[in-house]
Amino acid sequence: MNAAAFATHDDETEEFRTRLRHADAAVRRIAVLDLIDVAGDEHAPLLVEALADTSAEVRLEAVRALEAFESEASVAGIVPLLTDEDIEVREAAAHALSELKHAGSAVLLLAHAYDERPFVLVAILRGLRELRVAQSFEPALQALAHGDALVRREAVAVLGYLKDSRALAALMGLAAQDPEPEVRRAATGALGFAQGEEALPALLSALEDPTWQVREEAATTLGKLRLPNALAQLISALDDPYWQVRLRAARSLGRLRDSQSVAPLLVTLRHEISNLRKESALALGEIGDAAALPGLLLAEQDTDPEVRKSVRLALEQIRAAT
């Protein structure tokens, strides 16, 4: 960069700095918005400075702008805004922290990972979840006992992303006993990193949870783990009162590829809900048992084109396998 270019850059920066310190908050806000249009890394310090503006509107725009400029200074400036007096600023700060991509930012979040205030802790855990650093294990494990359900749910998510077997016992306990359905659901899904059948009892219990969303998650996780000893319970789940649970059970039965599932899946292939018919056809194709052929041939005349497409695919898979 030649001397003239440096001078132009310095002049532009100084102009923005002057506008960001103007007595009128409206002028300062427009300056932030203008910065967004031209900002490069060299302008990020000006946006960080705007985070401390006395106007909530200016702070809000600065937080939003800094989502694109992750740095130690920007993260350090955003974290305090989690307790800002303005709710929009607080929510924008929380969202910005959830968008962090660089593991180096974790150090700044971890400094607040034992904060007892629910909103702050939820935001910190949400940011740590995406960064997946090992140091977040202990604070997340401790947060499982927090009195706020949202905190517990975010802590579960962190542990699920880390896939650390030391968390399994605690996650299984939450899946079965947490008073909040959303926490039980999250814990049930997080058990998908378990090895062998260690999580099977908790997942089978979740498959009978009074909340259908937890049962749906349990059926999904059992399919991911491909646990043969869950076969009977997954077949029973095909009769669940909620079709969403039936659909996940059908999908998981396809993953297990056990011929004992053929007959009950042929029943669901005639269900009134087309999504369930489609999933049943796909599962039968994965199982690959010729015993499903007569039922699938009848289903070729299904009124739903997506079901017919799934049936044709299943027929091709079975014929190729036999």
Side-chain angles (χ1 to χ4, degrees):
M1 185 180 292
N2 58 38
F6 271 119
T8 300
H9 167 69
D10 289 344
D11 290 345
E12 179 186 58
T13 300
E14 190 56 36
E15 178 195 349
F16 274 118
R17 181 173 288 111
T18 300
R19 292 170 62 192
L20 287 169
R21 294 176 179 176
H22 196 279
D24 189 336
V27 173
R28 300 197 302 274
R29 178 175 177 273
I30 295 300
V32 171
L33 293 173
D34 287 345
L35 259 178
I36 295 171
D37 292 333
V38 301
D41 290 340
E42 68 275 11
H43 297 111
L46 294 175
L47 292 170
V48 171
E49 184 178 324
L51 292 174
D53 196 277
T54 55
S55 166
E57 290 186 345
V58 177
R59 296 195 301 277
L60 178 62
E61 299 299 348
V63 171
R64 290 171 173 169
L66 281 167
E67 285 187 20
F69 296 95
E70 183 177 347
S71 67
E72 182 175 335
S74 63
V75 175
I78 290 171
V79 169
L81 295 184
L82 292 173
T83 56
D84 195 272
E85 61 184 18
D86 186 272
I87 186 170
E88 281 193 273
V89 174
R90 295 198 301 272
E91 290 176 349
H95 183 268
L97 295 177
S98 72
E99 296 294 308
L100 298 180
K101 304 298 181 186
H102 306 303
S105 298
V107 174
L108 296 165
L109 297 184
L110 286 165
H112 303 271
Y114 293 98
D115 196 304
E116 282 296 309
R117 291 168 292 187
F119 185 85
V120 174
L121 194 47
V122 164
I124 296 297
L125 289 168
R126 192 168 292 157
L128 289 171
R129 175 187 66 192
E130 299 296 332
L131 299 179
R132 306 187 191 195
V133 294
Q135 297 91 325
S136 60
F137 177 82
E138 290 297 339
L141 191 67
Q142 178 172 311
L144 292 181
H146 198 281
D148 189 281
L150 289 177
V151 172
R152 298 197 301 277
R153 188 179 69 183
E154 291 301 329
V156 165
V158 171
L159 295 170
Y161 270 63
L162 289 177
K163 296 179 170 55
D164 190 320
S165 61
R166 293 175 298 167
L168 277 175
L171 291 173
M172 288 189 286
L174 287 181
Q177 299 173 356
D178 195 276
E180 291 296 327
E182 276 303 308
V183 179
R184 297 199 302 275
R185 180 182 186 180
T188 298
L191 291 173
F193 71 86
Q195 300 295 318
E197 295 193 343
E198 53 193 338
L200 182 61
L203 290 171
L204 293 182
S205 174
L207 199 57
E208 298 180 358
D209 193 275
T211 300
W212 71 264
Q213 290 92 340
V214 179
R215 301 197 301 274
E216 178 187 32
E217 197 69 45
T220 301
T221 305
L222 286 167
K224 290 178 181 177
L225 294 176
R226 290 183 167 89
L227 300 177
N229 287 332
L231 179 69
Q233 288 84 352
L234 284 171
I235 289 175
S236 295
L238 291 176
D239 292 323
D240 193 275
Y242 285 82
W243 69 267
Q244 295 92 333
V245 180
R246 296 185 182 194
L247 186 149
R248 299 292 181 169
R251 184 175 298 173
S252 293
L253 287 168
R255 287 172 173 251
L256 291 184
R257 299 182 179 178
D258 192 304
S259 294
Q260 294 179 70
S261 305
V262 170
L265 283 169
L266 285 171
V267 173
T268 60
L269 187 60
R270 301 191 295 272
H271 196 276
E272 62 181 9
I273 295 176
S274 62
N275 280 344
L276 184 51
R277 299 199 302 275
K278 181 177 77 170
E279 207 62 52
S280 298
L282 292 173
L284 289 166
E286 284 194 73
I287 294 168
D289 192 317
L293 287 173
L296 285 168
L297 288 169
L298 288 173
E300 280 190 298
Q301 307 305 315
D302 196 279
T303 56
D304 189 302
E306 288 299 314
V307 176
R308 294 197 299 272
K309 180 179 177 180
S310 299
V311 168
R312 287 195 297 271
L313 178 61
L315 288 169
E316 290 173 7
Q317 288 177 294
I318 293 174
R319 286 164 179 160
T322 54

